[in-house]
Amino acid sequence: MHLKKAQKWVKDDWERHSKERPEEYLQLIYLFEELGEMAEAIRKKHGKKTKKVKIDLEEEMGDVLISLCTVANQYDVDLEKAFLKSKKKIQQRHKKGL
Ligand SMILES: [Mg+2]
């Protein structure tokens, strides 16, 4: 699934299934919560190596992406455009040898 489609899916899903609209700042808090869960999964990955941990990391990264899409939708940010902009910035840095 392309980034634009993923972001649209999150938007549509919110419109269809979310009866409550949390305040905007809470979506950012949720994103940080998901990042914390992802960090915990990575920490665990460096402890015991089990399949369950691998699944958790994948799941947590998915949660982070969905949460980021939600924040982007709230502020009308096109994540695909944002990604391409940042990609260009990095490529220019590489050209300059930075
Ligand atoms: Mg999570």
Side-chain angles (χ1 to χ4, degrees):
M1 185 184 279
H2 293 275
L3 196 49
K4 200 177 269 289
K5 273 189 179 176
Q7 190 174 351
K8 171 104 170 63
W9 181 87
V10 171
K11 185 180 183 203
D12 292 345
D13 188 67
W14 264 94
E15 286 170 5
R16 275 193 305 265
H17 301 289
S18 299
K19 293 177 180 101
E20 292 178 28
R21 295 274 174 231
E23 290 191 50
E24 288 184 358
Y25 79 93
L26 279 176
Q27 292 303 335
L28 186 61
I29 302 292
Y30 295 149
L31 174 58
F32 277 98
E33 283 180 11
E34 293 301 346
L35 283 167
E37 290 171 11
M38 187 179 91
E40 184 182 12
I42 288 172
R43 181 179 53 78
K44 285 179 180 172
K45 186 176 168 55
H46 290 277
K48 288 181 185 173
K49 304 224 185 269
T50 64
K51 268 190 172 178
K52 173 97 172 70
V53 171
K54 186 178 180 189
I55 291 166
D56 284 349
L57 182 56
E58 202 172 80
E59 185 181 324
E60 295 309 339
M61 286 190 177
D63 291 348
V64 167
L65 282 174
I66 287 180
S67 199
L68 179 62
C69 285
T70 303
V71 174
N73 287 337
Q74 278 190 323
Y75 293 98
D76 292 322
V77 172
D78 180 330
L79 283 177
E80 198 165 291
K81 263 185 174 174
F83 178 85
L84 291 173
K85 214 172 175 178
S86 291
K87 180 183 164 193
K88 192 175 176 183
K89 195 167 59 180
I90 289 168
Q91 287 172 326
Q92 285 170 343
R93 262 188 231 149
H94 292 323
K95 273 186 192 169
K96 290 178 186 170
L98 299 173

